Amino acid sequence: MQTRPVESAPDLAAGDAESASPVGRVDTRRGLSHAQVEEQRARFGRNFVDSKARRTWCQTLKEVLSEPMFLLLLGATGIYFLLGDVSEALALLAFVGAIVLLTVFQSHRTARVLDSLRELSAPRAQVLRDGQRQLVSAAELVPGDVVFVDEGSRVPADGMVTEAHELSVDESLMTGESVSVTKSVARPDASAEEDPYGQLFFGSMVVQGQGQMIVTATGTNTTLGRVGKSLSGIAEARSPLQVETRTFVNRVAVTAVALCLLLVMAYRWRSGEWLPGVLAGITLAMGILPEEIPVILTVFMALGARRIANEGVLTRRMSAIETLGQTSVLCVDKTGTLTQIRMSVRVLFAQGKRQVIDPGTQRIDEAYHELIEYLVLASEIEPVDPMERAFHETGRVGLAGTGRIHTDWALVHEYGLTPELPAMSHAWHSPEFDHYAVACKGAPEAVCALCRLSERETRTVLDQAAQMASGGLRVLGVAKAWHPPPDWPHKQDEFEFSFVGLVGLLDPVRPEVAGAIEQCQAAGIRVVMITGDYPSTARAIATEVGIDGARIVTGHDIAAMDDAQLREAINSVSVFARVKPEQKLQLVNAFRNGDQVVAMTGDGVNDAPALKAAHIGIAMGLRGAEVAREVASLVLLRDDFAPIVSAIRLGRRIYANLVQAISYTVAVHIPMIAAAMIPVFVGWPPLLAPVHIIFLELIINPVCSVVFENEPERENLMRLPPRLIGARLLSNWTLAKGATAGAVGAMMLLGLYGGLLTHGYPLPLARTVAFVSLVAGNVALIFVIRALPQAGRRSHTPPQNRYLWIVMGATGAALLLLMSVRALAELFGLVALLSP
């Protein structure tokens, strides 16, 4: 460990003129003031490296104007001009403008939602301002800020190291070297080039230890920014649903081209004219192309991600929304997910005796004073972890007036937790001693091993720990040692430790967890607890929240299992205790190999591989390491279990509504295709023109993206089993359901149109009645699709949806206007039936 206990840092203005802070001497105990932060931000801007600008209205408009549907509309307009139908051409252009504006608005709205979600998922930083430690977006940092970094976090800006506690950093993003670099306190009189080991660089990852730095450069002035690299420049691969829908649209487009050419040839053969035939072909192409499907998918996922964010879960990868409805196994940690992380010391064990501590405890017996003393010494000086805060609070109250609170001692060396040895030690220098005091705390079995206790002594301690853990307590062992100066051993087990005692902490279960787990179980989702805590602690918590803890498998058991035994274990066991981080990955892979869709929560650096391997990795947003958040699909905005269940519920709802929207899209296109093709083949006058298709599109788009997107969940949504692995959105059932409903509507429409023509009614009247019937049929299909069961599942009465009535009202008003205004009806080639 290295520190520089000074009031202020050297003048940063002595560095690079562009990147240096004009703050002067920065007070490392208070940080910048609010006024200084605003002044710096006005000068240096926000801390962004990514040069990718936000999508503008013009860029969105350009994308829309390049869509095939728009090009078809322009082609149809040109043909109307060639045929001399100027009024038809102008009317078509007016409707083209309306549909383009609607599409641009919808696309820009979706892009804004995605931008806001990206802002929420931006890296964060622990910063000292006005004497208060705050969590802010990394984009808000300015030169001169005092920033804390620790294991698993990404360095949020360039900075000068002012404190280093076993600090090691991976700088491969800039150097390409995979070996981590050990950092030390920067020399006051050295530049960044002269003292690279005293500097931290934006984008590097802290792989070990903790540190403090003063920001010297932000944004494009950082080393990473100057070389033009970006942490967010890698585009996310297309999700399975995006690939599936794009493939479907492309296949339909190929079919559309063939059918349109056939229709043009048929029109030419029957009438001897080319241009009207091409116009009929364009009308058919507009009726066939299901361009709404990719738009629907984008809108549903973006707005769905915003809904999920409102429930406290941030979506980092849109593909996770697709998978939520398939989740069959939910692997959760105990601490912080099922419990409140409001730890308090409840039991002390020392010198063969134990004392229970509760809010009414007036005094802690002297026999436990040494235990509390070394418990505090083995903790961080300024604790952030709730467990260490509980230790300090117990020490403040229990050791008051005993002379065992050592404010004049200096921390001189420390040893961190490792997967091999789950214990940590702090070495202290005391003014009155010529040797160092070493305090250790960790897992009871690890502390027993460090103290070299006999087998009988170890069994006594572990039995006591197990008894404490059976009450749902988290149990730690405490040890002490003395060490002469000046050399330090490489490992903790080289100290001559003596056992001091045990401490048990209570972390209450969150009150809403039991109900949320019950919902998961009703939905066919297994909830599996994977914890590093004692089996008896895990069993007590599992029993309280409703997880089956009758049989518990430990990390030691897992290490001894072969693949077949592990498969048997994951099928019958719901609680895994004393599990090492690498075994979490082993369990996730075992569940995956068993054809389960796995969601898993995690917060630490060592959890990252398992989070990445899970179908849905869920990182803790408040206490999780940055590396865990980066690899996760979802990030909890509050470390709680209930939002996970809400996200699964919303994922199921989004997918169910998406299926309905796709079914409706297929259904409404069938009558449009039939109305554009069949009259030409049987020798009737054309029923539809491009202007009619546009009118219908103005109904279809809001129905899909507004009505079905806002469809409330069915009452049995969380009583259905998870969706099967490999189930396709565009399944045979979905396509058949939509096609059947559409085919019935098409037959009724063509029967009505043909009957009117056969009985001698004028063409404008027959077309008018048929078109009104087509619009009414499109609206009726909404109710049909909502009432049909999904994938063979029993249908319940559809819930109320106010957006349905809004769209119906707007459609009715537009149709009423069309039937009332003679000039408008004539532009459509219709008769104003309601005109006087």
Side-chain angles (χ1 to χ4, degrees):
M1 180 204 76
Q2 293 185 352
T3 62
R4 186 173 64 196
V6 294
E7 288 287 339
S8 57
D11 192 341
L12 299 181
D16 183 1
E18 289 190 8
S19 61
S21 165
V23 173
R25 300 179 66 83
V26 179
D27 186 345
T28 57
R29 295 187 178 180
R30 289 197 56 81
L32 298 182
S33 65
H34 177 75
Q36 288 174 317
V37 170
E38 293 302 320
E39 179 186 343
Q40 291 290 79
R41 187 171 296 124
R43 177 177 177 183
F44 294 98
R46 287 164 65 83
N47 183 29
F48 284 133
V49 168
D50 189 14
S51 60
K52 183 179 179 181
R54 287 188 174 216
R55 185 201 297 250
T56 63
W57 284 98
C58 292
Q59 290 172 320
T60 306
L61 179 61
K62 183 179 179 181
E63 289 182 7
V64 172
L65 296 183
S66 62
E67 291 290 333
M69 180 66 76
F70 179 77
L71 299 178
L72 288 172
L73 289 169
L74 286 184
T77 303
I79 291 175
Y80 274 124
F81 275 118
L82 291 175
L83 292 173
D85 293 334
V86 178
S87 60
E88 291 277 359
L90 294 177
L92 191 58
L93 278 178
F95 275 99
V96 167
I99 200 166
V100 166
L101 288 176
L102 176 65
T103 307
V104 168
F105 173 77
Q106 182 172 272
S107 298
H108 194 71
R109 173 183 173 225
T110 303
R112 290 291 299 274
V113 170
L114 293 175
D115 284 342
S116 66
L117 290 172
R118 274 192 287 270
E119 282 190 6
L120 278 175
S121 64
R124 298 170 303 163
Q126 289 275 357
V127 62
L128 184 68
R129 288 177 179 169
D130 291 317
Q132 298 293 321
R133 190 163 176 164
Q134 305 172 19
L135 185 66
V136 301
S137 169
E140 301 300 318
L141 294 180
V142 296
D145 264 327
V146 177
V147 175
F148 304 92
V149 295
D150 54 17
E151 182 178 325
S153 65
R154 194 173 287 283
V155 178
D158 283 5
M160 180 178 66
V161 180
T162 56
E163 282 190 19
H165 301 253
E166 306 295 325
L167 186 61
S168 183
V169 179
D170 176 6
E171 298 180 345
S172 58
L173 185 66
M174 293 169 295
T175 65
E177 296 291 336
S178 58
V179 179
S180 60
V181 180
T182 301
K183 296 293 181 176
S184 57
V185 173
R187 300 200 307 269
D189 55 346
S191 66
E193 291 75 17
E194 294 171 338
D195 183 22
Y197 297 105
Q199 307 295 320
L200 291 174
F201 301 101
F202 177 58
S204 55
M205 182 69 73
V206 180
V207 296
Q208 182 182 337
Q210 298 174 323
Q212 176 184 291
M213 72 175 193
I214 294 178
V215 175
T216 56
T218 57
T220 54
N221 291 324
T222 61
T223 302
L224 190 70
R226 287 196 294 270
V227 299
K229 291 186 178 181
S230 171
L231 296 176
S232 57
I234 301 175
E236 184 180 347
R238 284 183 176 178
S239 70
L241 279 189
Q242 288 175 319
V243 173
E244 181 185 351
T245 54
R246 179 56 61 185
T247 301
F248 176 76
V249 170
N250 290 341
R251 288 175 179 172
V252 172
V254 172
T255 304
V257 170
L259 290 177
C260 291
L261 290 176
L262 181 62
L263 185 64
V264 171
M265 297 302 296
Y267 199 100
R268 173 73 172 87
W269 175 65
R270 283 194 172 276
S271 65
E273 297 182 272
W274 282 107
L275 284 180
V278 173
L279 189 62
I282 290 175
T283 303
L284 176 61
M286 292 169 60
I288 291 178
L289 283 179
E291 284 209 327
E292 302 91 351
I293 291 180
V295 174
I296 290 169
L297 185 61
T298 302
V299 169
F300 270 57
M301 292 305 163
L303 298 184
R306 187 172 67 180
R307 291 182 190 278
I308 292 174
N310 291 338
E311 293 293 331
V313 182
L314 177 64
T315 306
R316 286 184 56 88
R317 291 170 180 80
M318 293 297 162
S319 57
I321 299 177
E322 305 171 15
T323 316
L324 278 170
Q326 292 180 301
T327 302
S328 57
V329 174
L330 177 57
C331 299
V332 297
D333 189 16
K334 175 183 69 69
T335 304
T337 306
L338 304 181
T339 61
Q340 301 179 30
I341 326 183
R342 292 173 55 187
M343 293 190 174
S344 58
V345 174
R346 284 302 174 94
V347 178
L348 299 172
F349 174 79
Q351 301 179 21
K353 299 186 297 183
R354 58 183 290 178
Q355 179 176 354
V356 176
I357 301 175
D358 57 39
T361 301
Q362 300 292 324
R363 176 179 173 275
I364 297 177
D365 293 344
E366 186 178 350
Y368 307 101
H369 287 180
E370 184 182 48
L371 170 60
I372 301 174
E373 174 188 10
Y374 279 90
L375 189 61
V376 173
L377 290 174
S379 304
E380 296 296 334
I381 300 173
E382 296 181 1
V384 177
D385 185 273
M387 180 176 64
E388 297 199 336
R389 286 180 177 175
F391 296 155
H392 275 267
E393 176 62 21
T394 302
R396 185 184 64 81
V397 175
L399 299 181
T402 65
R404 292 181 180 269
I405 300 178
H406 306 294
T407 56
D408 57 337
W409 287 20
L411 179 62
V412 292
H413 202 78
E414 59 185 340
Y415 298 86
L417 293 162
T418 64
E420 298 77 23
L421 183 62
M424 61 183 293
S425 297
H426 284 173
W428 297 84
H429 174 258
S430 168
E432 64 265 27
F433 300 129
D434 58 357
H435 53 257
Y436 298 117
V438 183
C440 172
K441 74 175 190 294
E445 60 269 29
V447 173
C448 287
L450 287 172
C451 294
R452 300 177 179 86
L453 297 184
S454 66
E455 185 176 342
R456 184 178 63 82
E457 291 171 326
T458 298
R459 176 49 50 202
T460 300
V461 171
L462 294 185
D463 286 346
Q464 182 64 39
Q467 185 179 350
M468 294 165 63
S470 64
L473 301 180
R474 182 173 185 178
V475 184
L476 294 179
V478 180
K480 67 177 182 177
W482 299 101
H483 185 74
D487 298 327
W488 295 104
H490 293 292
K491 298 180 180 179
Q492 298 179 72
D493 56 13
E494 297 180 37
F495 290 110
E496 295 293 332
F497 280 114
S498 58
F499 184 76
V500 177
L502 298 172
V503 59
L505 297 105
L506 178 65
D507 187 6
V509 170
R510 296 182 185 276
E512 70 279 3
V513 166
I517 289 178
E518 186 179 1
Q519 290 183 52
C520 286
Q521 293 167 343
I525 302 170
R526 280 184 64 199
V527 180
V528 176
M529 181 197 295
I530 302 177
T531 179
D533 220 327
Y534 258 88
S536 46
T537 305
R539 177 178 284 112
I541 299 298
T543 302
E544 186 173 351
V545 300
I547 299 175
D548 180 13
R551 180 186 170 194
I552 294 180
V553 170
T554 65
H556 183 267
D557 298 330
I558 294 173
M561 289 179 177
D562 58 25
D563 291 344
Q565 291 171 322
L566 186 58
R567 281 197 300 272
E568 187 277 331
I570 64 172
N571 289 330
S572 58
V573 177
S574 296
V575 179
F576 296 85
R578 265 317 189 230
V579 173
K580 296 180 179 179
E582 61 269 20
Q583 291 174 327
K584 291 184 180 181
L585 175 61
Q586 187 178 356
L587 287 171
V588 167
N589 287 331
F591 279 117
R592 288 189 59 133
N593 293 336
D595 292 332
Q596 302 290 337
V597 176
V598 187
M600 180 190 166
T601 65
D603 59 2
V605 176
N606 292 325
D607 291 334
L611 290 173
K612 191 172 183 179
H615 293 93
I616 305 173
I618 306 172
M620 302 292 112
L622 298 181
R623 59 187 171 88
E626 189 67 37
V627 65
R629 291 194 292 270
E630 285 188 3
V631 302
S633 306
L634 303 176
V635 176
L636 298 182
L637 298 179
R638 62 180 192 272
D639 295 348
D640 193 353
F641 185 81
I644 301 175
V645 182
S646 298
I648 292 175
R649 176 188 295 274
L650 281 171
R652 289 188 172 199
R653 171 188 166 184
I654 292 164
Y655 193 91
N657 291 350
L658 187 57
V659 169
Q660 290 192 81
I662 297 297
S663 297
Y664 177 76
T665 301
V666 172
V668 296
H669 277 271
I670 299 297
M672 292 163 62
I673 294 169
M677 284 186 64
I678 301 302
V680 174
F681 283 116
V682 300
W684 297 339
L687 171 56
L688 295 181
V691 69
H692 300 132
I693 300 293
I694 289 184
F695 187 93
L696 294 171
E697 287 289 340
L698 289 172
I699 301 173
I700 296 171
N701 278 331
V703 166
C704 291
S705 61
V706 176
V707 175
F708 284 116
E709 198 281 326
N710 284 283
E711 186 77 355
E713 67 181 55
R714 304 297 171 97
E715 61 182 24
N716 66 333
L717 183 71
M718 289 296 282
R719 294 197 295 272
L720 297 172
R723 205 170 67 251
L724 297 176
I725 296 178
R728 295 182 299 114
L729 172 67
L730 298 167
S731 63
N732 294 336
W733 167 257
T734 301
L735 296 177
K737 180 173 64 174
T740 301
V744 172
M747 288 188 291
M748 295 174 64
L749 173 67
L750 291 174
L752 176 64
Y753 183 58
L756 291 172
L757 292 177
T758 302
H759 287 80
Y761 286 92
L763 174 60
L765 178 62
R767 181 178 288 154
T768 300
V769 174
F771 181 71
V772 171
S773 300
L774 178 57
V775 174
N778 281 354
V779 173
L781 282 173
I782 303 174
F783 294 91
V784 172
I785 295 300
R786 293 176 78 235
L788 289 175
Q790 292 190 23
R793 294 173 174 176
R794 184 164 54 94
S795 178
H796 283 239
T797 304
Q800 293 295 319
N801 185 347
R802 65 187 182 93
Y803 291 94
L804 169 60
W805 306 109
I806 292 174
V807 170
M808 284 183 60
T811 301
L815 200 58
L816 183 65
L817 186 66
L818 184 61
M819 292 295 97
S820 303
V821 180
R822 188 184 306 275
L824 188 58
E826 289 176 353
L827 288 176
F828 279 76
L830 306 177
V831 176
L833 298 177
L834 303 180
S835 177

